[in-house]
Amino acid sequence: MKKIRLGLVSAFSVLSLVSAGSSYAASHNGLPEALNSKNFSFDMLAQSRFSLVDTTRGSTMDSFSQLARFGANYKFKRLSSSLLLQFDGGSAGDTGGNTRILEASLGYKLLDFGDSSLTVTGGREHLSSSVIYAPDAFNSYLATNLANQYLGEDGIGLTYELSTHMINWAFGVGTYNALPVKVLTANGYLTSQSPTSQIAPSSASGWNKSSPNSGRAYTFQMHADTPVMEGKAVLNALYGFQDKASMDSNAASVRDIGYFEGSLGYEADKKDFQAGIWYQDTSIGKLSRNVSPNGITQQPGADYNYVTVARSSTAPQNTLGFGFKGTSELWGWSNFTGDNVGDVMTFGGGYQKLNGVLPSVNYALTTTGTDPITPMNSASIDAVNLAVGYKYSVAEFELNYVNMNADKSIFYSQNNVKTDYRNWASMVYLTGIITL
């Protein structure tokens, strides 16, 4: 079943666990039992996208949003640990990308009753709960759930798991230094790095940063799955909130954050078909700033006197979608090359509606001096994603088509003319991915 892991202390990692392994008795091959190779597992993902047509940027025929991810997992009796590194590449012409530590955690099973357990997990966590049952454009590139975040959270949590012959349950609670949620903006046009950007993450979500202003984040997670026909029904949900989440590096600006994401789907045992719905909701409170009585911004360590900024307002956003993914194995079509690797054709599609997407300050309808984060200046986007592809062993190639229509003219016209807006945009791109 899917494990829900919540964080503890970021200093722990796979390396610290390995260094402690010598305290266990030696195994038959002379190595400590804790260092037996069967206790380790590794994952790797490499992905690249190539644009054929992209009216969101007025650009065509270039590579964009490359991704490389490496994970190492360790389990020994009651101990578990995970390390997850990610490199994010940009578009052609970028000077470079970012290497991030998404996860570095250590877990200890406090109670183990066979069919149920209670585990404490800590360190850097990469929170995720909902599943987006759609091709790449929705589940990765245009995704709005926490699984698509490029940040981790430092903290501590507890997870209770229960397995029966009918259902598997998992419940988790945790507290973290930040909840790095995402608020979407069209930026006048969709940016070359990603069609969505994070304009209101908590700046405390960086590696090992302390929580300013006592703005701790709290999360509650749930997972359940039960057999249905030749597969299973899967339910995932996460709710989190954070008061006084820092919006800038010196903690001079804060907002209250509320967040929910969830999904309900069907997943076939043979992995030849998946379908489901997903929902995500973000609430960003009014902007407040750390100012003294004379209006001077204070620095960290000073006495905080948060005063609500007159031109700020709340920024609710939500995403509702449904979709499906499948392979030609559904009809018994596979092994087209005769190489006995089970190669198959793939297909998928999805629809999602994004409400409350924010235009940038350059948006044509924005009045000078008015905070752009207002319901008046928000927009809704209806998006459709269709894809076909081919999977050969651990490699998959997919052709994605995305069409987006907004209720306001928030996209730049062709060639990024900033005085000419339109309410639609489309993309056609190839993606290649290797998963080990």
Side-chain angles (χ1 to χ4, degrees), residues 3 5 26 84 98 126 131 141 161 176 192 203 247 259 293 313 351 366:
K3 303 292 184 181
R5 294 167 293 144
L84 184 62
N98 296 299
H126 186 57
V131 177
Y141 187 53
E161 298 181 69
Y176 300 92
S192 58
S203 64
M247 295 294 105
Y259 181 80
S313 59
Y351 163 86
T366 298

Side-chain angles (χ1 to χ4, degrees), residues 185-189 357-368 372 374-380 406-412 418 421-423:
T185 175
N187 281 340
Y189 68 102
V357 178
L358 306 179
S360 73
V361 293
N362 294 323
Y363 178 47
L365 299 183
T366 298
T367 303
T368 302
T374 64
M376 177 184 297
N377 292 330
S378 65
S380 296
D407 62 348
K408 296 178 182 177
S409 298
I410 61 175
F411 304 114
Y412 286 161
K418 297 184 179 181
Y421 297 82
R422 60 187 177 192
N423 66 349

Side-chain angles (χ1 to χ4, degrees), residues 8 33 40 59 87 95 115 134 151 176 185 235 324:
L8 206 168
E33 183 183 356
F40 294 88
S59 302
F87 173 80
T95 57
D115 59 353
L151 300 171
Y176 300 92
T185 175
L235 173 67
F324 63 93

